[in-house]
Amino acid sequence: MTELQDGIAPTIITHLAKNDFQFSITIQRTTNLSYSLWRAVELDGLAWSPLTNVVMTTNGAATVTLTDTNMIFSKSFYRVVPNAP
């Protein structure tokens, strides 16, 4: 994935939250980028998959929160992928 992100500034995490069935991550928002949330149950290069059930909320131009509303595994790894237009 790193090769796809050349020229894009690193994502800055401002908040994480987890309960029994949801995981949320809040990041600083960069103009002209969209974001996707990916999940894996192992830290393996091939284990990552984009989530389609993500709820995305924004706080004006400052931050964006991505929430996995269907956290089906007790142990999961997440990453935010910025997408250039």
Side-chain angles (χ1 to χ4, degrees), residues 17-24 39 53 67-74 78:
K18 178 187 173 290
N19 66 26
D20 292 336
F21 303 106
Q22 293 186 350
F23 170 81
S24 294
R39 177 177 61 203
N53 64 328
T67 303
D68 177 6
T69 59
N70 189 26
M71 195 175 74
I72 56 175
F73 304 106
S74 61
Y78 290 89

Side-chain angles (χ1 to χ4, degrees), residues 24-75:
S24 294
I25 184 168
T26 303
I27 58 169
Q28 287 184 353
R29 187 174 176 194
T30 302
T31 305
N32 296 330
L33 292 179
S34 62
Y35 298 92
S36 56
L37 187 62
W38 291 57
R39 177 177 61 203
V41 293
E42 299 176 3
L43 286 178
D44 181 313
L46 300 176
W48 294 95
S49 59
L51 299 177
T52 58
N53 64 328
V54 173
V55 174
M56 187 179 311
T57 54
T58 60
N59 179 10
T63 63
V64 61
T65 301
L66 301 135
T67 303
D68 177 6
T69 59
N70 189 26
M71 195 175 74
I72 56 175
F73 304 106
S74 61
K75 181 179 89 173

